[in-house]
Coordinates of all heavy atoms in Angstrom, one line a residue:
E1 N 0.8 -1.2 0.0 CA 0.0 0.1 0.0 C 0.8 1.2 0.0 O 0.6 2.2 -0.7 CB -0.9 0.0 1.2 CG -1.9 1.1 1.2 CD -3.0 1.0 0.1 OE1 -3.3 -0.1 -0.3 OE2 -3.4 2.0 -0.3
A2 N 1.9 1.2 0.9 CA 2.9 2.3 1.0 C 3.6 2.6 -0.5 O 3.8 3.7 -0.9 CB 3.9 2.0 1.9
Q3 N 3.9 1.4 -1.1 CA 4.5 1.6 -2.4 C 3.6 2.2 -3.4 O 3.9 3.1 -4.2 CB 4.9 0.1 -2.9 CG 6.1 -0.5 -2.3 CD 6.5 -1.9 -2.6 OE1 5.5 -2.5 -3.2 NE2 7.7 -2.3 -2.3
K4 N 2.3 1.8 -3.3 CA 1.3 2.4 -4.1 C 1.3 4.0 -3.9 O 1.2 4.8 -4.7 CB -0.1 1.8 -4.0 CG -0.2 0.4 -4.5 CD -1.6 -0.2 -4.3 CE -1.7 -1.6 -4.8 NZ -3.0 -2.2 -4.6
Q5 N 1.1 4.2 -2.5 CA 1.0 5.6 -2.0 C 2.3 6.3 -2.4 O 2.2 7.6 -2.9 CB 0.8 5.6 -0.5 CG -0.4 5.1 -0.1 CD -1.7 6.0 -0.4 OE1 -1.5 7.2 -0.6 NE2 -2.8 5.4 -0.6
L6 N 3.5 5.7 -2.3 CA 4.8 6.3 -2.7 C 4.7 6.6 -4.2 O 5.3 7.7 -4.6 CB 5.9 5.4 -2.3 CG 7.3 6.1 -2.5 CD1 7.5 7.3 -1.6 CD2 8.4 5.0 -2.2
L7 N 4.3 5.7 -4.9 CA 4.2 5.9 -6.4 C 3.4 7.1 -6.7 O 3.6 8.1 -7.6 CB 3.6 4.7 -7.1 CG 3.7 4.7 -8.7 CD1 5.2 4.9 -9.1 CD2 3.0 3.3 -9.2
L8 N 2.1 7.0 -6.1 CA 1.2 8.2 -6.1 C 1.8 9.6 -5.7 O 1.7 10.6 -6.4 CB -0.1 7.9 -5.5 CG -1.2 8.9 -5.5 CD1 -1.7 9.1 -7.0 CD2 -2.4 8.6 -4.7
Y9 N 2.4 9.4 -4.5 CA 3.1 10.5 -4.0 C 4.2 11.0 -4.9 O 4.4 12.3 -5.1 CB 3.6 10.3 -2.7 CG 4.5 11.5 -2.0 CD1 3.8 12.4 -1.3 CD2 5.8 11.3 -1.9 CE1 4.6 13.5 -0.9 CE2 6.6 12.4 -1.5 CZ 5.9 13.4 -0.9 OH 6.7 14.6 -0.3
S10 N 5.0 10.2 -5.5 CA 6.1 10.5 -6.3 C 5.5 11.3 -7.5 O 6.1 12.3 -8.0 CB 6.8 9.2 -6.9 OG 7.8 9.6 -7.8
E11 N 4.3 10.8 -8.1 CA 3.7 11.4 -9.2 C 3.3 12.9 -8.7 O 3.5 13.8 -9.5 CB 2.5 10.7 -9.7 CG 3.0 9.4 -10.4 CD 1.8 8.5 -10.8 OE1 0.7 8.9 -10.5 OE2 1.9 7.4 -11.4
N12 N 2.6 12.9 -7.5 CA 2.2 14.1 -7.0 C 3.4 15.1 -6.7 O 3.2 16.3 -6.9 CB 1.3 14.0 -5.7 CG 0.0 13.3 -6.1 OD1 -0.5 13.3 -7.2 ND2 -0.6 12.6 -5.0
L13 N 4.4 14.4 -6.3 CA 5.6 15.3 -5.9 C 6.2 15.9 -7.2 O 6.7 17.1 -7.1 CB 6.7 14.4 -5.2 CG 7.9 15.0 -4.7 CD1 7.6 16.1 -3.6 CD2 8.9 14.0 -4.1
E14 N 6.3 15.1 -8.2 CA 6.8 15.6 -9.4 C 6.0 16.7 -9.8 O 6.5 17.8 -10.3 CB 6.9 14.5 -10.5 CG 7.9 13.5 -10.3 CD 7.8 12.5 -11.4 OE1 7.0 12.6 -12.4 OE2 8.6 11.5 -11.3
H15 N 4.6 16.6 -9.8 CA 3.7 17.8 -10.1 C 4.0 19.0 -9.1 O 4.1 20.1 -9.7 CB 2.3 17.3 -10.0 CG 1.2 18.3 -10.3 ND1 1.1 19.0 -11.5 CD2 0.4 19.0 -9.4 CE1 0.1 19.8 -11.5 NE2 -0.3 19.9 -10.1
E16 N 4.2 18.6 -7.9 CA 4.3 19.6 -6.9 C 5.7 20.4 -7.1 O 5.8 21.5 -6.9 CB 4.3 19.1 -5.4 CG 4.2 20.1 -4.4 CD 2.9 20.9 -4.3 OE1 1.8 20.4 -4.9 OE2 2.9 21.9 -3.7
I17 N 6.7 19.5 -7.5 CA 8.0 20.1 -7.7 C 8.0 21.1 -8.8 O 8.5 22.2 -8.8 CB 9.0 19.0 -7.9 CG1 9.4 18.3 -6.6 CG2 10.4 19.5 -8.6 CD1 10.2 17.1 -6.7
D18 N 7.3 20.5 -9.9 CA 7.0 21.4 -11.1 C 6.4 22.7 -10.6 O 6.8 23.9 -11.1 CB 6.3 20.7 -12.1 CG 7.0 19.6 -12.7 OD1 8.3 19.6 -12.7 OD2 6.4 18.7 -13.4
K19 N 5.3 22.6 -9.8 CA 4.5 23.8 -9.4 C 5.4 24.6 -8.6 O 5.5 25.9 -8.8 CB 3.3 23.3 -8.7 CG 2.4 24.4 -8.2 CD 1.2 23.9 -7.4 CE 0.4 24.9 -6.9 NZ -0.8 24.4 -6.1
K20 N 6.1 24.1 -7.7 CA 7.0 24.9 -6.8 C 8.1 25.5 -7.6 O 8.5 26.7 -7.3 CB 7.5 24.0 -5.7 CG 6.5 23.5 -4.6 CD 5.9 24.7 -3.9 CE 4.9 24.2 -2.8 NZ 4.3 25.2 -2.1
T21 N 8.7 24.8 -8.4 CA 9.7 25.3 -9.3 C 9.3 26.6 -10.1 O 9.9 27.6 -10.1 CB 10.2 24.3 -10.3 OG1 10.6 23.2 -9.7 CG2 11.3 24.8 -11.2
Q22 N 7.9 26.4 -10.6 CA 7.4 27.6 -11.2 C 7.2 28.8 -10.3 O 7.4 29.9 -10.6 CB 6.1 27.2 -11.9 CG 6.2 26.2 -13.0 CD 4.9 25.8 -13.6 OE1 3.8 26.2 -13.2 NE2 4.9 24.9 -14.6
E23 N 6.7 28.4 -9.0 CA 6.5 29.4 -8.0 C 7.8 30.0 -7.6 O 7.9 31.2 -7.4 CB 5.8 28.8 -6.8 CG 4.3 28.4 -7.0 CD 3.7 27.8 -5.8 OE1 4.4 27.7 -4.8 OE2 2.6 27.4 -5.9
L24 N 8.8 29.1 -7.4 CA 10.2 29.7 -7.0 C 10.7 30.5 -8.2 O 11.3 31.6 -7.8 CB 11.1 28.6 -6.7 CG 12.5 28.9 -6.3 CD1 12.5 29.6 -5.0 CD2 13.4 27.6 -6.1
H25 N 10.6 30.1 -9.4 CA 11.0 31.0 -10.5 C 10.3 32.2 -10.5 O 10.9 33.3 -10.7 CB 10.8 30.2 -11.8 CG 11.3 30.9 -13.0 ND1 10.6 32.0 -13.6 CD2 12.5 30.7 -13.7 CE1 11.4 32.4 -14.6 NE2 12.5 31.7 -14.7
K26 N 9.0 32.1 -10.1 CA 8.3 33.5 -10.1 C 8.8 34.3 -9.0 O 8.9 35.5 -9.2 CB 6.8 33.1 -9.9 CG 5.8 34.3 -9.9 CD 4.4 34.0 -9.9 CE 3.4 35.2 -10.0 NZ 2.0 34.9 -9.8
K27 N 9.0 33.8 -7.8 CA 9.5 34.6 -6.7 C 10.9 35.1 -7.0 O 11.1 36.3 -6.6 CB 9.6 33.7 -5.4 CG 8.2 33.4 -4.9 CD 8.4 32.5 -3.5 CE 7.0 32.3 -2.9 NZ 7.1 31.4 -1.7
I28 N 11.8 34.4 -7.7 CA 13.1 34.8 -7.9 C 13.1 35.8 -9.0 O 14.0 36.8 -8.9 CB 14.0 33.6 -8.4 CG1 14.1 32.6 -7.1 CG2 15.3 34.0 -8.8 CD1 14.9 31.3 -7.5
Y29 N 12.3 35.7 -10.0 CA 12.4 36.5 -11.2 C 11.1 37.5 -11.3 O 11.1 38.3 -12.2 CB 12.4 35.7 -12.4 CG 13.6 35.0 -12.5 CD1 13.8 33.7 -12.2 CD2 14.9 35.6 -12.8 CE1 14.9 32.9 -12.3 CE2 16.1 34.8 -12.8 CZ 16.2 33.5 -12.7 OH 17.3 32.8 -12.7
T30 N 10.2 37.5 -10.2 CA 9.1 38.5 -10.3 C 9.0 39.3 -9.0 O 9.1 38.6 -7.9 CB 7.9 37.6 -10.6 OG1 8.1 36.8 -11.8 CG2 6.6 38.5 -10.7
N31 N 8.6 40.4 -9.1 CA 8.4 41.3 -7.9 C 7.0 40.9 -7.3 O 6.0 40.9 -8.0 CB 8.4 42.8 -8.2 CG 8.3 43.5 -7.0 OD1 7.2 43.9 -6.5 ND2 9.5 44.1 -6.5
F32 N 7.1 40.6 -5.9 CA 5.8 40.2 -5.3 C 4.7 41.2 -5.3 O 3.6 40.8 -5.2 CB 6.1 39.7 -3.9 CG 6.4 40.8 -2.9 CD1 5.3 41.1 -2.0 CD2 7.6 41.3 -2.9 CE1 5.6 42.2 -1.1 CE2 7.8 42.4 -1.9 CZ 6.8 42.8 -1.1
L33 N 5.0 42.5 -5.4 CA 4.0 43.6 -5.3 C 3.4 43.7 -6.6 O 2.2 43.7 -6.8 CB 4.6 44.8 -4.7 CG 4.6 45.0 -3.2 CD1 5.1 46.4 -2.9 CD2 3.1 44.9 -2.7
S34 N 4.2 43.9 -7.6 CA 3.7 44.3 -8.9 C 3.6 43.3 -10.0 O 2.9 43.5 -10.9 CB 4.8 45.4 -9.5 OG 6.0 44.8 -9.8
A35 N 4.1 42.1 -9.6 CA 4.1 40.9 -10.6 C 4.9 41.2 -11.9 O 4.9 40.5 -12.8 CB 2.7 40.5 -10.9
L36 N 5.7 42.4 -11.8 CA 6.7 42.6 -12.9 C 8.0 41.9 -12.8 O 8.4 41.5 -11.6 CB 6.9 44.1 -13.0 CG 5.8 45.1 -13.3 CD1 6.1 46.5 -13.2 CD2 5.3 44.8 -14.8
P37 N 8.7 41.6 -13.9 CA 10.0 41.1 -13.8 C 10.9 42.0 -12.8 O 10.8 43.2 -12.9 CB 10.5 41.1 -15.2 CG 9.3 41.2 -16.0 CD 8.4 41.9 -15.3
N38 N 11.8 41.2 -11.9 CA 12.5 42.0 -11.0 C 14.0 42.2 -11.3 O 14.4 42.0 -12.5 CB 12.4 41.3 -9.6 CG 12.9 39.9 -9.7 OD1 13.5 39.5 -10.5 ND2 12.6 39.2 -8.6
R39 N 14.7 42.6 -10.4 CA 16.2 42.8 -10.6 C 16.9 41.6 -11.2 O 17.7 41.6 -12.1 CB 16.9 43.2 -9.3 CG 18.3 43.5 -9.6 CD 19.0 43.9 -8.2 NE 18.5 45.1 -7.7 CZ 19.0 46.3 -7.9 NH1 20.1 46.4 -8.7 NH2 18.5 47.4 -7.4
N40 N 16.5 40.4 -10.5 CA 17.2 39.1 -11.0 C 16.9 38.8 -12.5 O 17.6 38.4 -13.3 CB 16.7 38.0 -10.2 CG 17.2 38.1 -8.7 OD1 18.3 38.5 -8.4 ND2 16.4 37.5 -7.8
S41 N 15.6 39.1 -12.9 CA 15.1 38.9 -14.3 C 15.9 39.9 -15.2 O 16.3 39.5 -16.3 CB 13.7 39.1 -14.4 OG 13.3 38.9 -15.6

C-alpha cells in the first residue's frame, strides 16, 4: 500500500516540484508586489 502511495506521492511530488519550481522561479524573477520582472530577471 505504501509503495502504491509512494508511487502516487512520487507522481504528485513531481507535479508539486514542477509547481514549486514555477512558483520559485516566479519569486526569484518576479516582484511580489507588482508581478513585474524584478532585478534578477
Side-chain angles (χ1 to χ4, degrees):
E1 186 65 27
Q3 287 174 341
K4 291 180 181 178
Q5 293 293 331
L6 185 61
L7 184 61
L8 181 62
Y9 176 75
S10 178
E11 294 174 355
N12 293 336
L13 183 62
E14 289 180 5
H15 176 71
E16 191 68 21
I17 288 173
D18 292 339
K19 183 180 176 182
K20 292 295 182 183
T21 301
Q22 293 174 4
E23 290 178 0
L24 183 61
H25 185 275
K26 186 176 180 181
K27 286 181 180 180
I28 293 174
Y29 294 102
T30 306
N31 185 276
F32 74 98
L33 269 180
S34 62
L36 290 173
N38 61 11
R39 180 186 294 270
N40 294 328
S41 182

